[in-house]
Structure formats: structure tokens, C-alpha cells
Amino acid sequence: MTDLLYSEEEEALRAAVRDLLTDHCDAAGVIVRAESDAPHDLSLWKSLADGMGLAGLLVPEAQGGQGATHREVAVVLEELGRAVAPVPYLTSAVVATEALLACDADDLLAELASGRKIGVLAVSLSVAPGGAYKAVRHENGSLYGELTGIADAAAADVLLVPGEDGGLYAVDAGAVTVVPQVSLDLTRPLARVVLEGTAARRIGDAEPAVRRALRAGAGLLASEQLGVADWTLTETVRYLKERKQF
């Protein structure tokens, strides 16, 4: 059985991420950004992905990543959740990355690991691991169809789209139509993705890739939620200690 407590190295990672987020994610600024037309903080993403190398934690070193484990990613996501950081970390560095690890697409994997590109799996995060998901029609090397509820699609450079033929396809996000959708959680923007004869490259089989991606995403989403819950508890206790009844 592995140690359930974080190691000194993992706590050092936590401290480094928290220091960066403290400088970039004040609560008022996060709220303003979430309600704006530019909900993603791409400069913060660059600092996390490029400056700290966190986008490639799950990617083996031989494929351009850090060769870390889900424990280190959990630490990062706890801090991102605590700050409600407006970055596509869960969708790109976890879900899309896990999907690519099940495919033959080392070029895309390296680009996501370096932070040069943001990847998004075009499957709703509300789908349970192993659950049914919507796919689009593939015909003569192009994709046709519409997908809804795709988290962080507006920030994506590349979309990983499941086809009705069972394939998973890489699509240039600039070649599709992305329409923002109203979400109950404004900090994780959703969008409708429309493909009208969009050129696509098959990179693997959709079913095992999507199952793997959603399983990792569900587990690590819990880490993100733990972070924001811990912040909420801490702030509530702090307020109760300072509050004066009149």
C-alpha cells in the first residue's frame, strides 16, 4: 500500500504552484474573468505549462514529458481548485493527454506536454467512464456533426473527436465552429462544436482512449474539488474567528 501522505517533494511542488497562483489568481480577478468574453488566462497557463513544465507531468520522458505520476497531478489540481484558476489544466494536461497516451500520436503528445498546444477531448465531462458518448460521422477523411457541452473548447488548439466508425480523430480547432454555451459553472466554460467537412487525422481507437481519459479525469477532478472545498472550510473558519456580533 502506498503512503497516503504527500512526500516532501510533493509538498514542495504544492508550495511552488500556490506561490504562482497567489500572484495571479485573486478572487475578484477570477470572478471578473469568468464573466468576461475571455475566461481563460493564457498567460497563467503559459507559466504553468512552459515555465514550470506541469502540462507534461503524465507524459513519459521519452515522449517529451516529466514522467511523473497521478499523485503529482493531484497536488497541482488541488492548488488549481483552491484558486479556481482559469486554465485548461484538467482538460488538456489530464483528459486529452490520457487519451493521446492510448493512441499513436507522439507528435501531439509532445506538443501538449510542452504547453505549445492545448488539447481538448470532444466528449462531455458529464459522461461517466465507460458510458455512452456522442460521435460524429466520418466520410472521405472529413468529419461531420455537432457535439455539445465540450469543456474548454474555446481555448483548444487541437480537438480529439470520436467518430462513428470507432476512430479517434485529431482536428485543428481553428477549422471548426465553436459556439459558447451557458454553464452553471462559469469557471469551466462549455461550448458547442460544429464540424462541417472538417479535415481530420485518425490517431487511434476512440473507445479505449475515451474510457482511459474519462477515468483519469473523474479521479483527478475530485482532487480539484478537494482543493476548493478546503479553501472554503479555511475561509469559513477564519471568518468565524474574526466576526463580531452586535
Side-chain angles (χ1 to χ4, degrees):
M1 184 175 182
T2 58
D3 191 349
L4 296 180
L5 299 178
Y6 287 121
S7 66
E8 290 184 6
E9 291 78 8
E10 289 161 345
E11 289 297 348
L13 172 62
R14 179 191 304 282
V17 175
R18 186 175 296 189
D19 285 346
L20 176 64
L21 295 177
T22 298
D23 294 336
H24 290 81
C25 283
D26 63 288
V30 168
I31 293 172
V32 169
R33 182 174 288 280
E35 295 176 343
S36 73
D37 294 331
H40 297 95
D41 188 343
L42 297 183
S43 63
L44 175 58
W45 169 254
K46 182 175 177 60
S47 296
L48 289 165
D50 187 17
M52 299 184 69
L54 300 183
L57 285 180
L58 292 176
V59 180
E61 292 183 21
Q63 294 168 288
Q66 306 300 322
T69 71
H70 292 93
R71 286 178 61 100
E72 288 83 5
V73 176
V75 170
V76 173
L77 278 167
E78 285 178 24
E79 292 307 309
L80 294 177
R82 180 187 297 274
V84 197
V87 293
Y89 192 86
L90 180 71
T91 44
S92 184
V94 177
V95 177
T97 293
E98 288 280 0
L100 288 174
L101 286 168
C103 299
D104 182 20
D106 285 356
D107 56 333
L108 283 178
L109 196 58
E111 289 181 311
L112 263 61
S114 68
R116 293 194 303 272
K117 285 188 177 180
I118 295 171
V120 167
L121 178 65
V123 174
S124 173
L125 290 182
S126 63
V127 176
Y133 52 87
K134 188 174 181 181
V136 299
R137 178 168 55 92
H138 177 259
E139 183 178 322
N140 298 324
S142 299
L143 298 179
Y144 301 82
E146 181 177 305
L147 301 165
T148 59
I150 308 304
D152 293 332
D157 298 299
V158 59
L159 293 167
L160 309 179
V161 183
E164 292 177 350
D165 62 348
L168 186 66
Y169 293 88
V171 172
D172 182 355
V176 306
T177 301
V178 177
V179 182
Q181 292 182 290
V182 177
S183 170
L184 289 175
D185 179 5
L186 295 180
T187 65
R188 178 159 286 130
L190 304 180
R192 177 166 56 93
V193 175
V194 181
L195 303 102
E196 298 175 319
T198 306
R201 171 168 68 104
R202 180 167 180 149
I203 56 175
D205 295 329
E207 196 277 330
V210 171
R211 184 176 66 249
R212 173 176 178 163
L214 293 181
R215 184 173 62 242
L220 288 165
L221 175 60
S223 297
E224 185 184 77
Q225 299 304 300
L226 173 62
V228 72
D230 183 66
W231 178 88
T232 302
L233 176 60
T234 300
E235 289 300 300
T236 300
V237 172
R238 181 190 61 78
Y239 171 73
L240 291 175
K241 289 180 177 180
E242 295 178 354
R243 179 179 180 271
K244 291 181 173 59
Q245 187 171 356
F246 56 88

